[in-house]
């Protein structure tokens, strides 16, 4: 990921070595101090609050601990417990269901929007603003609003469906419809973000290429699939990587819309980590599950980085 | 809005009038669908007792600001807004500082192992906060910072995303400017302050929006670290307003409106920079 998202890294500027001659001494020390002055403000917090907790999570995952009494070392018991628990498979499955439903919706929707709003449309600046509005809104607000829109008995959606003689489903109160409810709300919220990323990508495509394709008689769809999408593949890649990382971490909307219910139908991995820690006082097991999740996210990201060579073209 | 400079951009123009009409129609209908929940939120917040019995009418028969008044009168909502605002401003200032300095070092100050350090920084972007939540909580508990603003603030001081965003921007500032300043006797601190910062304003504006948004909307970490009711932030307080059976929707929606407004104001202010900032960041 680092190498591909950052083509600039490859051409890091050459050092203007202060110590070319054999006069190391003070200039060198001064340069080192300058580097430290610029690096430490970020290095200290990132080390203290990301890297240190990361390592200590590994240690906690080997303990049985309720956050109150002193921890007891249990080796890999927490991992064994998780891997033998059928519930673990279920929560990962719920998380995957979320991703599989969410990603196509948000990508195709975002792409259509980006294409539409990249044309000479009157008032497109206002339109872009409106589509971006859900992005800047707190997940909690979005979840509350959607929970209410999708209320089975009094919600707007079922009321409107009723006008057409359709009996709306139970949405978040129905185990079968709870996850689709979360997916709809999530796609609605993130559409504007995907749109912005893809718009930025579209604006860097050389118009000459599209003109050339048009002259060659390529129709709209042909141009979309043969010119635009291949050139947009770095943006698409970015959207997919970010969406998958975020998808595995889905939590806020689940917590606020269903709390993992009804009947555990929307219990996702992070909701489980939260419940294990703060509801059941099983910090060790929660940390083990955290590491399991991190391993999965890392594996998925690495697979994408390796796989991207097949389909991502960097202009 | 963000048609970069004067460059002509590639457009997938629909051909023919019919297609154009359809396009306009779809985009505008879509925008209405996007905006509808917000409209509904506003309407509901103005309808006393909304949602207890029936779906409220689109135009409230008896609009009133009662819900807003009750929001502040019956709960410490003023305090809650100040909590959120203080944390968001502090986080934003801190991230602007830590990101800009790191970005300068990563672009202009070569040192041994810099590539590795940068890779580690970026990897932190890939670690979900949730994975860190238990050990982070334990660490801050050991420091005695549970239920303190400092505890809520510390983990948000630096952001790999912000560093990445600003580094791409610093890379694009022509080196001739640094060299000219060096000839004039300027050191790194002056180049950073007088040459680099003024030249990366769009990226700084973009980071301001994202950092403020991240803090203003963050939920899990404030939920965990700020357990005392008077220390709550907006999203946590809003989630708490929602009872299992007795939700007073007018009050919940009034709270929602109040929570969106500052973010909206900031976005409108910085709007033109956001797409430009993303476009320039190289993540396209």
């Amino acid at each position: 990921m680092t190498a591909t998202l950052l083509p600039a890294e490859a051409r890091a500027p050459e050092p203007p070595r202060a110590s070319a001659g054999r006069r190391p001494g003070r200039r060198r020390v001064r340069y080192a101090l300058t580097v430290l002055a610029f690096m430490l403000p970020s290095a200290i917090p990132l080390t203290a609050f990301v890297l240190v907790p990361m390592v200590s999570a590994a240690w906690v995952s080997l303990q049985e601990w309720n956050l109150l009494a002193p921890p007891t070392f249990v080796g890999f018991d927490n991992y064994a417990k998780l891997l033998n628990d059928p519930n673990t498979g279920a929560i990962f499955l719920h998380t995957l269901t979320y991703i599989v439903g969410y990603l196509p919706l948000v990508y195709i929707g975002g792409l259509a929007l980006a294409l539409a709003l990249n044309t000479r449309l009157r008032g497109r600046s206002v339109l872009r603003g409106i589509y971006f509005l859900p992005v800047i809104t707190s997940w909690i607000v979005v979840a509350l609003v959607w929970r209410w829109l999708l209320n089975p008995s009094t919600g707007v959606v079922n009321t409107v469906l009723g006008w057409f003689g359709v009996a709306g489903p139970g949405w978040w109160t129905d185990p079968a419809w709870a996850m689709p409810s979360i997916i709809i709300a999530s796609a609605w919220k993130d559409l504007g973000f995907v749109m912005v990323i893809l718009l930025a990508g579209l604006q860097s495509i050389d118009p000459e290429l599209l003109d050339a394709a048009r002259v060659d008689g390529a129709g709209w769809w042909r141009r979309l699939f043969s010119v635009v999408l291949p050139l947009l593949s770095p943006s698409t890649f970015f959207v997919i990587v970010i969406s998958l990382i975020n998808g595995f971490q889905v939590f806020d909307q689940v917590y606020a819309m269903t709390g993992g219910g009804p009947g555990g139908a929307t219990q996702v991995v992070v909701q489980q980590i939260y419940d294990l820690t703060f509801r059941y006082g099983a910090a060790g097991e929660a940390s083990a599950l955290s590491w399991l999740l991190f391993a999965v996210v890392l594996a998925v990201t690495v697979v994408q980085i390796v796989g991207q060579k097949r389909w991502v073209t960097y202009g | 809005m963000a048609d970069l400079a004067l460059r002509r951009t590639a457009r997938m123009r629909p051909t023919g009038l019919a297609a154009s009409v359809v396009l306009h129609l779809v985009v505008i209908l879509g925008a209405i669908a996007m905006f509808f929940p917000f409209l509904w939120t506003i309407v509901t917040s103005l309808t006393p007792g909304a949602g207890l019995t029936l779906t409220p009418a689109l135009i409230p028969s008896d609009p009133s600001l009662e819900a807003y008044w009750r929001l502040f009168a019956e709960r410490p909502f003023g305090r809650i807004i100040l909590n959120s605002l203080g944390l968001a401003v502090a986080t934003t200032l801190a991230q602007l500082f830590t990101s800009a300095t790191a970005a300068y070092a990563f672009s202009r100050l070569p040192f041994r192992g810099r590539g590795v350090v940068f890779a580690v920084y970026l990897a932190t972007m890939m670690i979900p906060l949730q994975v860190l939540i238990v050990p982070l909580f334990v660490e801050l508990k050991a420091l005695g910072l549970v239920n303190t603003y400092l505890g809520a603030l510390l983990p948000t001081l630096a952001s790999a995303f912000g560093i990445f965003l600003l580094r791409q921007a610093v890379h694009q500032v022509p080196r001739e400017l640094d060299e000219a300043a060096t000839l004039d006797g300027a050191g790194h601190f002056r180049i950073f302050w007088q040459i680099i910062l003024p030249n990366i304003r769009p990226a700084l504006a973009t980071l301001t929006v994202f950092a403020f948004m991240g803090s203003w909307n963050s939920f899990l970490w404030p939920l965990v670290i700020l357990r005392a009711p008077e220390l709550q932030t907006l999203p946590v307080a809003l989630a708490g307003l929602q009872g299992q059976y007795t939700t007073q929707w007018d009050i919940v929606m009034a709270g929602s409106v109040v929570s969106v407004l500052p973010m909206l104001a900031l976005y409108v202010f910085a709007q033109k920079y956001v797409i430009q900032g993303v476009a320039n960041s190289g993540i396209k």
Side-chain angles (χ1 to χ4, degrees), chain B residues 104 178 181-182 186-198:
Chain B
Y104 184 81
D178 304 26
T182 308
H188 284 294
F189 294 98
R190 255 184 70 192
I191 293 175
F192 171 69
W193 190 255
Q194 292 183 349
I195 309 283
I196 300 295
L197 287 187

Side-chain angles (χ1 to χ4, degrees), chain A residues 266-290:
Chain A
T266 57
Q267 187 75 359
V268 290
V269 179
V270 177
Q271 176 81 43
Q272 181 77 0
I273 294 173
Y274 180 84
D275 287 347
L276 280 173
T277 314
F278 297 102
R279 205 173 279 176
Y280 308 123
E285 216 182 316
S287 290
L289 187 55
S290 297

Side-chain angles (χ1 to χ4, degrees), chain B residues 195-206:
Chain B
I195 309 283
I196 300 295
L197 287 187
N199 275 295
I200 59 167
R201 277 200 206 112
L204 292 173
T206 308

Side-chain angles (χ1 to χ4, degrees), chain A residues 6 9 118 148 154 203, chain B residues 7 11 40 55 164 167 242:
Chain A
L6 307 161
E9 180 56 23
N118 199 34
W148 182 71
T154 58
Q203 293 185 351
Chain B
R7 209 184 54 184
R11 299 182 197 286
W40 210 254
T55 305
F164 175 41
R167 193 200 74 142
Q242 184 187 220

